[in-house]
Amino acid sequence: MTITEIFNLGNKFMQEGNLQTAVQMWQECIKINPEFGLSHYNLAQFLRSQNNLRGAFDEYSKFMDSPVTGRTLDLIPQVKQILVDIEKQLNPLKV
């Protein structure tokens, strides 16, 4: 199975509500290629939905550090803002 097939399978599991299996698929993608940005993005989205802000911040940061592709380019402005928002939540007294 290719990394793209594993990633897409994770997305399918997520759509079906099988969250833990989806996460496992995205983690497998990251294990195969740590620079596979979309897996970091999806994992970050999941962690954020679970209110795991530190984990989400880390995964969004890894997404931002991964190579830009046609599929990730449009997400960059959104992720930059999400990182700012999470940083404010994690450090509310920081100005």
Side-chain angles (χ1 to χ4, degrees), residues 6 19-29:
I6 296 168
L19 307 179
Q20 290 308 315
T21 304
V23 167
Q24 289 172 355
M25 295 292 106
W26 298 326
Q27 289 172 331
E28 182 64 24
C29 290

Side-chain angles (χ1 to χ4, degrees), residues 31-73:
K31 190 184 304 180
I32 293 168
N33 179 0
E35 294 186 335
F36 194 77
L38 290 173
S39 286
H40 289 291
Y41 176 81
N42 282 7
L43 189 53
Q45 292 284 88
F46 169 75
L47 292 169
R48 188 172 179 215
S49 76
Q50 302 298 304
N51 206 32
N52 180 344
L53 297 181
R54 173 53 52 202
F57 186 90
D58 292 345
E59 291 300 324
Y60 282 125
S61 296
K62 290 174 186 174
F63 167 82
M64 292 299 291
D65 291 340
S66 64
V68 175
T69 68
R71 293 177 71 189
T72 61
L73 183 62

